[in-house]
């Protein structure tokens, strides 16, 4: 278990866990790009498989991040998920047993902006006043290849 020193900052990253497994490469990938074939690539996805893996792997990695930080889902003030798909967001909310009003959802405004979706959702929730100094934020995402991870942060602005 990670223990914070007495002089640890009152805000910042509490845990961060990242996994990858190339065995699942074919369910979500880009079929081109400068480093592979010098052509514009297109996202290729097996939707049902991606959904299944997303819910399973995101739930597991969130449990890992909570354990490392010595926290429980009840300690989380806000879930800020990757805004890929409302069904995945809803499934994660249910797995974490969180009230809907504690989950930041912006997919209807920004769509799936890939790696930018969590920072965009965070900015919206900070700007509209939902997220405040001292809040514990849980962020999670899954991407091509497959890669997936979760980070827990105690939010604060100097």
């Amino acid at each position: 278990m990670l223990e914070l020193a007495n002089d640890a900052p009152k805000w910042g990253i509490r845990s961060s866990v990242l996994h990858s497994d190339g065995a699942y490469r074919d369910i979500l990938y880009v079929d081109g790009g400068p480093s592979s074939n010098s052509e514009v690539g297109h996202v290729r996805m097996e939707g049902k498989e991606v959904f299944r893996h997303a819910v399973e792997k995101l739930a597991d990695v969130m449990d890992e991040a909570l354990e490392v930080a010595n926290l429980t889902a009840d300690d989380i003030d806000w879930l800020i998920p990757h805004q890929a798909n409302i069904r995945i967001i809803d499934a994660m909310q249910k797995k974490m047993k969180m009230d809907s009003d504690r989950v930041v959802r912006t997919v209807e405004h920004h769509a799936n902006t890939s790696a930018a979706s969590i920072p965009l959702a965070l900015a919206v929730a900070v700007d509209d006043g939902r997220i405040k100094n001292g809040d514990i934020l849980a962020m999670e995402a899954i991407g091509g290849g497959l890669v997936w991870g979760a980070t827990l942060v105690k939010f604060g602005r100097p």
Side-chain angles (χ1 to χ4, degrees):
M1 284 301 144
L2 175 71
E3 302 258 345
L4 294 177
N6 289 336
D7 61 346
K10 302 294 183 219
W11 53 271
I13 296 172
R14 295 300 185 243
S15 68
S16 189
V17 180
L18 182 63
H19 293 281
S20 67
D21 189 340
Y24 301 108
R25 177 212 179 275
D26 291 337
I27 70 169
L28 181 58
Y29 65 97
V30 175
D31 65 359
S35 65
S36 62
N37 65 6
S38 300
E39 296 181 15
V40 174
H42 297 89
V43 174
R44 303 295 180 197
M45 174 174 57
E46 293 181 30
K48 287 182 182 179
E49 281 299 296
V50 171
F51 178 82
R52 185 175 69 77
H53 283 282
V55 173
E56 173 190 316
K57 288 175 179 11
L58 291 174
D60 289 347
V61 78
M62 185 60 69
D63 287 344
E64 274 185 86
L66 287 164
E67 184 178 339
V68 168
N70 198 25
L71 296 171
T72 69
D74 291 335
D75 296 316
I76 303 303
D77 295 302
W78 292 100
L79 173 63
I80 308 173
H82 173 62
Q83 303 288 313
N85 172 306
I86 198 68
R87 290 177 50 236
I88 296 171
I89 294 169
D90 290 346
M92 281 303 297
Q93 172 201 330
K94 288 178 185 163
K95 287 228 177 237
M96 292 184 68
K97 299 179 177 142
M98 294 186 75
D99 292 334
S100 179
D101 62 352
R102 293 176 45 214
V103 179
V104 178
R105 290 178 173 83
T106 61
V107 69
E108 68 276 7
H109 301 292
H110 301 126
N112 181 356
T113 54
S114 190
S117 73
I118 291 175
L120 283 168
L122 175 61
V124 166
V126 169
D127 288 347
D128 70 20
R130 280 181 280 177
I131 293 178
K132 299 183 178 19
N133 281 348
D135 284 351
I136 302 291
L137 313 179
M139 296 173 274
E140 46 86 354
I142 191 164
L146 284 179
V147 296
W148 62 97
T151 298
L152 301 175
V153 173
K154 186 165 188 176
F155 182 78
R157 293 199 254 190

